[in-house]
Amino acid sequence: MENRNIKNFIKTNAIWLVFIIEVLIFSVASKGTFISASNMVNIMRQISYYGIASIGMTFVILIGGIDLSIGSIITLVNMICAYMMVNMGINMWIAVLISLAVSVLIGLLNGAMVASVGMPALIATFASQTVFEGLAFLITNGRPISGFTKIYPAFNLFARWTVLGVPVCALIMAGCFAIGSFILNKTYFGRYFYAIGGNEEASALSGILVNRMKYLIYALSGLFAGLAGIVLLSRSGSAQTTVGKGLEFDVITCVVLGGVSVNGGVGRISGVVAGVLIIGSLTNGMILMNVSEYTQMVVKGVVLALAVGLDCMSNRRKTL
């Protein structure tokens, strides 16, 4: 009985054990630099934006979907928000709210293509990714926008300010994770997400308005991506047309590594938190070890492939 309990504990908390081992390895390899207080703060800032975006992606993958437009939403929000503050003189908070509204509308558009038109989520979100990435270039002709932190110094609060030594962006991320966990565990919407991912046809027959849920889920994905874009804009201090390029793959890796099944219906926010910490620590550790950017891409690709592969093998065993 005791051996069984130990096995169950290891199986349940395997992702956290991986994170602990990773921290130990990088701590030894960097001679303690990795676990220094300044580097811990740096890691929290680095993971905050894709940690926030991973919550919306979790909802989407839970229903068996995918959202490849997250990176372009982050880029577009950067360009729109900065453009409104610098070129149009719009108040900082109004610019933020308008940018978030735009990200929700993009999410609703994705939901419409998936739910109402019937397009595969992969194609629908890839199309919107391409469209809005191009639109971000058109807004400024590909030129970066800076200077908004001089006009509105308070914009630094989203990523550069701290509370008792903890970056505000990390607190925002923690709050978003708490909201995501509450939605999945304490609301009927969360139960619907799992049900749709488990069996969409059965969910529809049981009275769940599947199409409406898809609209809601993709809108939430857009909202969290938009908020991630605001945090990233505050951290960088400059809106770049390529800032969100490829971020969707980091987000997907965090979510799948955290135990959310690509087939839908299985996953927890706590696992996603661990996935975000692992990818964030991996990226930071490789930078400290002077690993080249291209090698980092290879490592992250391998991690994603392994995570999806293990998920597929696990699902295959369940069906045997």
Side-chain angles (χ1 to χ4, degrees):
M1 178 66 85
E2 187 174 338
N3 289 335
R4 185 182 298 174
N5 289 336
I6 293 173
K7 288 180 180 179
N8 288 335
F9 175 81
I10 293 175
K11 185 177 180 180
T12 304
N13 299 282
I15 187 72
W16 289 102
L17 294 175
V18 171
F19 172 62
I20 292 171
I21 293 170
E22 181 186 51
V23 170
L24 291 174
I25 291 172
F26 281 128
S27 298
V28 173
S30 66
K31 299 180 180 180
T33 303
F34 181 80
I35 56 171
S36 64
S38 60
N39 194 53
M40 289 296 103
V41 170
N42 190 35
I43 290 175
M44 284 190 282
R45 286 198 170 102
Q46 287 174 345
I47 68 174
S48 59
Y49 51 91
Y50 55 80
I52 294 169
S54 70
I55 300 162
M57 183 67 82
T58 298
F59 295 160
V60 172
I61 295 180
L62 273 176
I63 64 167
I66 197 73
D67 189 353
L68 297 181
S69 68
I70 281 180
S72 60
I73 291 175
I74 289 173
T75 299
L76 187 63
V77 162
N78 268 239
M79 304 311 294
I80 289 176
C81 191
Y83 186 87
M84 286 190 290
M85 288 188 290
V86 175
N87 292 23
M88 300 175 68
I90 294 177
N91 177 270
M92 178 188 91
W93 294 108
I94 295 176
V96 168
L97 290 175
I98 292 174
S99 300
L100 292 178
V102 169
S103 67
V104 171
L105 288 174
I106 295 173
L108 288 172
L109 175 62
N110 288 334
M113 289 190 289
V114 173
S116 298
V117 179
M119 293 175 64
L122 181 69
I123 302 302
T125 58
F126 178 70
S128 60
Q129 176 198 55
T130 306
V131 169
F132 293 109
E133 186 176 342
L135 186 58
F137 275 91
L138 290 173
I139 290 174
T140 60
N141 292 321
R143 291 191 293 268
I145 303 175
S146 58
F148 48 86
T149 53
K150 292 182 180 179
I151 303 172
Y152 298 106
F155 197 81
N156 287 317
L157 77 89
F158 293 108
R160 300 190 182 187
W161 290 9
T162 60
V163 176
L164 300 176
V166 180
V168 171
C169 56
L171 297 176
I172 294 172
M173 178 181 67
C176 290
F177 275 129
I179 292 170
S181 181
F182 178 81
I183 291 173
L184 290 181
N185 298 317
K186 301 296 182 181
T187 68
Y188 66 88
F189 289 119
R191 291 192 290 273
Y192 289 172
F193 296 172
Y194 285 108
I196 294 170
N199 192 318
E200 186 173 321
E201 291 183 8
S203 299
L205 291 172
S206 67
I208 297 175
L209 300 174
V210 174
N211 284 350
R212 288 190 183 181
M213 286 297 103
K214 288 182 179 180
Y215 272 92
L216 173 63
I217 288 166
Y218 279 98
L220 286 172
S221 181
L223 175 62
F224 282 112
L227 183 56
I230 296 297
V231 169
L232 182 55
L233 180 62
S234 176
R235 182 171 182 260
S236 64
S238 175
Q240 306 282 341
T241 52
T242 57
V243 70
K245 195 171 185 66
L247 280 180
E248 61 275 5
F249 295 107
D250 282 338
V251 173
I252 292 170
T253 303
C254 292
V255 173
V256 177
L257 186 62
V260 180
S261 175
V262 291
N263 294 308
V266 176
R268 297 179 301 172
I269 289 294
S270 59
V272 176
V273 173
V276 169
L277 290 172
I278 288 173
I279 296 300
S281 299
L282 181 64
T283 302
N284 180 270
M286 288 192 293
I287 292 172
L288 288 178
M289 302 306 296
N290 293 319
V291 176
S292 72
E293 181 182 354
Y294 304 111
T295 304
Q296 291 181 41
M297 292 171 63
V298 171
V299 172
K300 289 180 181 178
V302 170
V303 170
L304 178 59
L306 287 174
V308 174
L310 290 172
D311 177 57
C312 291
M313 287 190 293
S314 176
N315 288 322
R316 187 180 299 172
R317 288 195 203 101
K318 291 176 183 177
T319 57
L320 293 177

